[in-house]
């Protein structure tokens, strides 16, 4: 990963996945104010400066081969509408966990499903990972639907798996393994 620049990945409908840029700081601040993103992604962004630090950290984590995080944006330099990518990348053991959110105006049009399929193909076919995880609270049916529609298999429920701002949540574990595509 570190030897290569983070690629731009095309999506349908005039959208693309591109690396986050300092000019996307305001979109990250807006996301941090959205109740659903705050709750489900545990995202807290205090200021544009804090957002810029988080964006710099995304690039450091690509260089450290620990994460690959893209902005979902209109092609041709559009502003960020969402985020998707891989955290907890383990190149030695060939696995990673997906993270995603969309700003409210971008929801409901199938973007999350298409972007999940695109980064999953990249992770399995281009990065060479073997197993991808998708975890979400059992109280987040939209995320469960994204997992199903993107072709992830449901593996079970992890009890008391993640602390959200309203308490501990059980999580569904879904996976996509090389050969599933
Ligand atoms: C989860 C999220 C990324 C999904 O984005 P989206 O644009 O709505 O997703 P899509 O349009 O690709 O598809 C979502 C599917 O979930 C369904 N869905 C949406 N809200 C739902 C709800 N409350 N209950 C059940 N299904 C729901 C949609 O109907 C759609 O399924 P369908 O095509 O069969 O009708 C978006 O809602 C979001 O950012 N939510 C807040 C943050 C979040 O939940 N992050 C994920 C943390 S694991």
């Amino acid at each position: 990963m570190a030897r290569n620049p983070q690629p731009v990945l095309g999506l349908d409908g005039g959208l693309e996945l591109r690396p986050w840029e300092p000019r996307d700081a305001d979109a990250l601040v807006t996301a941090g104010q959205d109740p659903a993103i705050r709750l489900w992604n545990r995202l807290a962004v205090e200021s544009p400066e804090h957002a810029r630090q988080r964006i710099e950290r995304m690039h450091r984590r690509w260089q450290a081969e620990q994460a690959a995080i893209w902005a979902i944006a209109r092609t041709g330099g559009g502003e960020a509408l969402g985020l998707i990518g891989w955290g907890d990348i383990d190149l030695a053991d060939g696995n990673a966990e997906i993270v995603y959110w969309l700003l409210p105006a971008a929801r409901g049009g199938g973007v999350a499903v298409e972007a999940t399929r695109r980064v999953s193909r990249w992770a399995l076919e281009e990065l060479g990972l073997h197993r991808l995880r998708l975890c979400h609270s059992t109280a987040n049916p939209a995320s469960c639907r994204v997992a199903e529609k993107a072709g992830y298999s449901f593996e079970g429920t992890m009890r008391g798996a993640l602390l959200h701002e309203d308490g501990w949540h059980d999580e569904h574990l879904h996976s996509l393994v090389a050969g599933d595509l």
Side-chain angles (χ1 to χ4, degrees), residues 131-147:
R131 174 184 160 86
L132 308 176
R133 292 188 305 283
L134 190 162
C135 303
H136 64 83
S137 164
T138 54
N140 187 354
S143 199
C144 200
R145 196 77 189 109
V146 170

Side-chain angles (χ1 to χ4, degrees), residues 7 13 15 53 61-62 66 68 71 73 110 121 136 141 146 155 159 181:
L15 295 174
Q53 288 168 6
R61 280 168 55 80
W62 171 276
Q66 293 170 335
R121 209 166 66 239
H136 64 83
V146 170
E155 294 191 335
R159 296 180 305 141
L181 286 180

Side-chain angles (χ1 to χ4, degrees), residues 40-41 100-102 107-113 140-143 145 149:
W40 298 129
N41 296 92
Y100 49 70
W101 51 255
L102 288 172
R107 290 177 198 158
V111 173
V113 172
N140 187 354
S143 199
R145 196 77 189 109
K149 292 185 77 179

Side-chain angles (χ1 to χ4, degrees), residues 38-150:
R38 286 184 72 98
L39 177 62
W40 298 129
N41 296 92
R42 306 193 305 173
L43 181 70
V45 185
E46 312 305 337
S47 64
E49 180 51 31
H50 185 203
R52 277 188 287 276
Q53 288 168 6
R54 291 188 71 112
I55 291 166
E56 280 169 22
R57 183 165 177 268
M58 292 179 203
H59 291 274
R60 284 200 305 275
R61 280 168 55 80
W62 171 276
Q63 283 301 320
E65 302 183 331
Q66 293 170 335
I69 307 293
W70 286 268
I72 303 171
R74 301 228 163 273
T75 50
E79 61 196 27
L81 308 170
L83 172 149
I84 193 161
W86 300 103
D88 286 340
I89 292 177
D90 184 336
L91 289 181
D93 282 335
N95 62 70
E97 181 168 334
I98 199 166
V99 52
Y100 49 70
W101 51 255
L102 288 172
L103 292 174
R107 290 177 198 158
V111 173
V113 172
E114 194 199 347
T116 297
R117 288 195 186 121
R118 185 67 191 88
V119 295
S120 300
R121 209 166 66 239
W122 177 84
L124 295 178
E125 295 178 356
E126 294 177 48
L127 190 57
L129 298 185
H130 178 70
R131 174 184 160 86
L132 308 176
R133 292 188 305 283
L134 190 162
C135 303
H136 64 83
S137 164
T138 54
N140 187 354
S143 199
C144 200
R145 196 77 189 109
V146 170
E148 286 168 3
K149 292 185 77 179

Side-chain angles (χ1 to χ4, degrees), residues 1-8 19 62-63 70 122:
M1 281 176 73
R3 282 198 305 270
N4 300 310
Q6 187 177 356
V8 174
W62 171 276
Q63 283 301 320
W70 286 268
W122 177 84

